[in-house]
Amino acid sequence: MPQNRFRSLNTALQERFGEKIYKLSLNGGCTCPNRDGTLGTRGCIFCSAGGSGDFASSPALSITEQIEDAKKRLAGKRPVQRYIAYFQAYTNTYAPIEHLRMIFTEAIIHPDVAVLSVATRPDCLGPDVLELLYELNQIKPVWVELGLQTIHEETASLIRRGYPLPVFDEAMEHLKAIGVETVVHAILGLPGETPDMILDTVRYINASGADGIKLQLLHILKDTDLAAYYKDAGFHVLTLDEYVDLVIRCLEISRPDLVIHRLTGDGPKDLLIAPLWSQAKRQVLNTIHRELKNRDTYQGRLYTP
């Protein structure tokens, strides 16, 4: 059995850079086609007003100012030398190419930044954006994080994802062709999805050639359409035990080389409606680690190509 029961992002970064690397959440001032009227105006059903960037810095600051501000906040907690510049809020390739070139270049040339990470949608990767990402990847490593969430079209329609699965496939092909690393998001606990459906999504991500995966617990946040749907429909929300079991099953079928960027996630405490147990993130992670050990299992144990 491997010494580490899953290939964590921390392990992968230590191997690659020889030191601890921390992520700085940045806000590039972008919007989203699911909010500006191109596809819709209310975003994905689960998305807060912050566009999944509730912990990112203020877009009123320059990128350099955001980096320095985030560094100061981290400095009081732990000694850190290098960082991932993570453009998190909204869709970070959905803006004029001149703006994207300016904010991404400002981030990647910062002497303390080791990696540029860009969260976006598969349908927002035009030829000009791909060319820019290719150029930046020649300077320092570039990661693109894609919000797939699910492979099931009925669920995708319910959550208003706004693009069909072949668009994701095409985006992955283009990103691999230019040598940019990819991280794919999957949400566990979407309304109506069974464990087998979630495992099918993970298998699909395996086969897509993704370099990493984020397993994200579904959070029901105030003032979202998901909150209204939850109030009206009362769909099942995963318990801690159910979530831990599901995460372990996802890890067991994951490719051994797939980097696990996230096992759960934080919902802003002032916005979180459910599941309230997710507020104790350290407890959730400790429970996952403990249960992996109790079951004597690990990432890739049940993986089949």
Side-chain angles (χ1 to χ4, degrees):
M1 189 203 70
Q3 182 178 0
N4 298 317
R5 293 182 183 271
F6 63 91
R7 183 164 177 74
S8 70
L9 175 60
N10 180 55
T11 296
L13 289 172
Q14 290 274 12
E15 291 175 358
R16 186 168 186 172
F17 296 102
E19 61 183 304
K20 196 89 169 174
I21 307 286
Y22 281 90
K23 186 172 290 186
L24 306 178
S25 293
L26 308 176
N27 191 323
C30 297
T31 181
C32 175
N34 222 355
R35 287 182 176 272
D36 71 356
T38 301
L39 295 175
T41 58
R42 296 186 62 81
C44 293
I45 192 172
F46 51 79
C47 199
S48 70
S52 298
D54 298 290
F55 300 109
S57 298
S58 168
L61 301 175
S62 72
I63 299 303
T64 300
E65 288 171 335
Q66 290 186 46
I67 290 172
E68 294 303 324
D69 180 60
K71 281 172 56 180
K72 288 177 185 176
R73 283 186 271 116
L74 267 177
K77 300 178 182 179
R78 53 187 71 87
V80 190
Q81 304 299 322
R82 304 177 77 189
Y83 305 88
I84 298 168
Y86 179 34
F87 286 86
Q88 181 179 21
Y90 301 104
T91 302
N92 290 283
T93 58
Y94 188 64
I97 196 67
E98 296 81 9
H99 177 73
L100 298 179
R101 182 179 296 278
M102 178 184 69
I103 61 174
F104 294 161
T105 301
E106 186 174 350
I108 205 167
I109 65 173
H110 191 288
D112 298 334
V113 166
V115 176
L116 173 68
S117 183
V118 179
T120 189
R121 297 168 55 95
D123 55 350
C124 294
L125 289 167
D128 54 347
V129 173
L130 290 168
E131 177 62 28
L132 173 60
L133 294 173
Y134 172 80
E135 293 173 10
L136 294 168
N137 198 41
Q138 309 310 303
I139 302 171
K140 291 175 185 175
V142 173
W143 300 347
V144 171
E145 300 196 11
L146 297 177
L148 174 63
Q149 321 308 4
T150 180
I151 63 167
H152 303 287
E153 296 294 0
E154 185 175 346
T155 312
S157 177
L158 172 67
I159 65 175
R160 297 198 302 257
R161 189 179 66 187
Y163 67 85
L165 190 56
V167 172
F168 167 79
D169 299 333
E170 184 178 15
M172 289 294 294
E173 290 177 9
H174 289 159
L175 291 167
K176 285 190 287 184
I178 63 171
V180 166
E181 295 175 46
T182 53
V183 183
V184 181
H185 294 222
I187 296 181
L188 282 58
L190 289 168
E193 291 215 340
T194 65
D196 284 343
M197 292 172 71
I198 295 166
L199 294 175
D200 283 342
T201 291
V202 173
R203 291 187 184 97
Y204 200 92
I205 294 170
N206 272 334
S208 74
D211 299 287
I213 187 172
K214 280 188 173 181
L215 300 173
Q216 170 68 54
L217 169 66
L218 178 69
H219 290 123
I220 302 171
L221 303 179
K222 294 176 183 177
D223 301 322
T224 63
D225 288 346
L226 181 64
Y229 183 73
Y230 178 60
K231 182 179 179 182
D232 294 339
F235 62 87
H236 177 67
V237 174
L238 294 173
T239 66
L240 173 58
D241 287 345
E242 289 171 332
Y243 186 73
V244 169
D245 179 70
L246 194 50
V247 166
I248 291 174
R249 293 176 66 186
C250 288
L251 290 175
E252 287 178 327
I253 65 167
S254 293
R255 285 191 346 251
D257 66 307
L258 191 67
V259 178
I260 310 301
H261 284 243
R262 178 183 290 163
L263 291 175
T264 183
D266 294 291
K269 292 185 177 181
D270 59 333
L271 297 178
L272 185 66
I273 295 173
L276 292 177
W277 55 259
S278 67
Q279 295 178 91
K281 184 176 179 182
R282 178 51 53 189
Q283 179 186 347
V284 176
L285 293 173
N286 287 343
T287 304
I288 292 170
H289 284 276
R290 184 171 62 249
E291 192 60 21
L292 280 166
K293 185 176 181 180
N294 289 343
R295 298 187 191 187
D296 194 22
T297 193
Y298 52 90
Q299 177 181 342
R301 187 175 72 86
L302 301 178
Y303 168 67
T304 53

